[in-house]
Amino acid sequence: MKTAPNLFFSSLCSMFNKLQQKWNVSSGQLFLILCTFAVTGTTTAYISRVATSWVGFDETTFWAWKLALRLSILIFGYQIIILIVSFFFGQFRFFWNYEKKILRRVGLIPKEPIRLAIFASGKGSNAEKIIQYLENHPVVSVSLVLCNRSGAGVLDIAARYGIKTVLISKPQFDNSNEYIQVLKNEGITHIVLAGFLWKIPENLVKAYNNKIVNIHPALLPAYGGKGMYGEKVHQAVINAGEKKSGITIHLVDEHYDNGKRLFQATVEVLSTDNPDTLAEKIHALEHAHYPKVIAEWLKVK
Ligand code: GAR
């Protein structure tokens, strides 16, 4: 049985682990970030307390003026103080990005462009729907298509829309940072897998932590995992006599078809269905939802 201090310690550790993953930082950097928050909090609280006397407020001053001054320092002064403090902890860049997010959210600076890379292995019908949906979008653009099969339909689609393509090879993909560098050079911010059949290596998952989305042609966690793609999934669903199948859109982590699920939709499997007819129904569902779910995920809908 866990004692109270043990329980407290393990939940604290798990909270730190979650923060580390969310911010994609080392444990040393997480420590410096937390120090920045702590020092900023106490400094701001202190300044907000003494500032009333600095500006000459006393007990005769109307209480609402004092409250307004303290709140402005706590809300707005905090944002400036945190940047100053972060500088001394060597975390200015992290906090400047954090401040930019707030300024963007309140509309004080324009949204940063989102540049998508689509990874696909085959026909590319999903890729095409996504490209069409985001064409002329003010913030998002499909900037690169990466494919592992020469002659795949998705390469023609990319060419038709004037999108740059990269043909990738397995050894480099699995064992080097070559394609991460390509993505970074193109300013890619997010990755969309649209019928991409290779497992995403750990270095790429880390470089684009929570920024890779995948579509799977079944209702995960069923009918997922290694070797489960395209027609094989539909055949397995039919063989098992399932009455329904569907699609799952999820974030990508180091394991096959395992990341956080963002969306599912279902379709009926009829006794007359074969893998081709089921694939057709699944494709229709994918085309109707994937582009919209991507836009929602990117918060640009
Ligand atoms: C889609 O049905 C997609 O869900 C599936 O490949 C098909 C690609 O079609 N992906 C997987 O099976 C991944 N495990 P498309 O090339 O016409 O977009």
Side-chain angles (χ1 to χ4, degrees), residues 219-269:
L219 296 169
L220 291 174
Y223 305 103
K226 195 165 189 247
M228 273 293 175
Y229 55 84
E231 195 176 305
K232 292 187 186 197
V233 178
H234 308 310
Q235 186 67 67
V237 167
I238 289 170
N239 289 350
E242 299 285 1
K243 294 277 170 281
K244 61 177 188 171
S245 187
I247 60 168
T248 305
I249 298 169
H250 64 95
L251 296 183
V252 171
D253 65 13
E254 295 81 1
H255 310 285
Y256 271 114
D257 303 325
N258 182 65
K260 180 182 169 195
R261 275 172 238 147
L262 304 178
F263 178 86
Q264 287 191 310
T266 57
V267 74
E268 248 184 283
V269 183

Side-chain angles (χ1 to χ4, degrees), residues 117-131:
I118 296 182
F119 283 57
S121 305
K123 204 164 61 161
S125 70
N126 277 290
E128 182 159 26
K129 292 290 170 195
I130 297 162
I131 293 167

Side-chain angles (χ1 to χ4, degrees), residues 126 129-130 133-134 215 249 262-263 284-301:
N126 277 290
K129 292 290 170 195
I130 297 162
Y133 189 83
L134 295 172
I215 191 158
I249 298 169
L262 304 178
F263 178 86
L285 211 57
E286 293 182 332
H287 298 164
H289 293 289
Y290 202 16
K292 287 186 197 152
V293 175
I294 290 170
E296 271 163 27
W297 169 59
L298 298 171
K299 301 192 176 77
V300 294
K301 219 180 156 202

Side-chain angles (χ1 to χ4, degrees), residues 1-3 22 35 43 45-46 51 74 78 96 114-115 130 204 225 234 237 250 259 276 287 297 300:
M1 206 182 75
K2 276 192 171 173
T3 60
K22 185 172 172 215
C35 288
T43 311
Y46 174 76
L74 287 172
Y78 179 91
W96 178 229
I114 295 174
R115 289 171 64 81
I130 297 162
L204 184 50
H234 308 310
V237 167
H250 64 95
D276 290 339
H287 298 164
W297 169 59
V300 294

Side-chain angles (χ1 to χ4, degrees), residues 35-184:
C35 288
T36 306
F37 276 121
V39 173
T40 306
T42 33
T43 311
T44 314
Y46 174 76
I47 293 176
S48 82
R49 192 153 45 80
V50 294
T52 46
S53 55
W54 290 346
V55 296
F57 288 174
D58 56 27
E59 47 296 335
T60 62
T61 311
F62 183 43
W63 65 267
W65 292 126
K66 289 190 217 166
L67 183 67
L69 178 66
R70 288 197 73 170
L71 283 179
S72 331
I73 292 172
L74 287 172
I75 298 167
F76 304 112
Y78 179 91
Q79 312 302 334
I80 298 163
I81 295 166
I82 205 165
L83 288 178
I84 298 168
V85 174
S86 69
F87 180 77
F88 290 105
F89 282 102
Q91 297 306 314
F92 182 81
R93 180 135 44 131
F94 176 88
F95 282 94
W96 178 229
N97 286 337
Y98 170 88
E99 290 297 332
K100 278 197 290 192
K101 267 192 204 156
I102 297 177
L103 293 173
R104 269 189 205 108
R105 222 170 280 157
V106 295
L108 285 177
I109 57 172
K111 286 205 162 142
E112 210 166 9
I114 295 174
R115 289 171 64 81
L116 296 183
I118 296 182
F119 283 57
S121 305
K123 204 164 61 161
S125 70
N126 277 290
E128 182 159 26
K129 292 290 170 195
I130 297 162
I131 293 167
Q132 286 170 346
Y133 189 83
L134 295 172
E135 227 182 357
N136 307 320
H137 193 285
V139 180
V140 191
S141 60
V142 177
S143 309
L144 197 62
V145 168
L146 295 97
C147 178
N148 59 312
R149 268 187 43 223
S150 62
V154 71
L155 293 170
D156 299 329
I157 292 171
R160 221 180 313 127
Y161 289 88
I163 297 168
K164 199 168 163 182
T165 57
V166 176
L167 196 60
I168 57 179
S169 87
K170 188 87 172 137
Q172 273 103 318
F173 187 63
D174 284 345
N175 306 314
S176 80
N177 287 331
E178 185 180 322
Y179 298 117
I180 296 180
Q181 206 44 56
V182 169
L183 294 165
K184 296 286 177 194

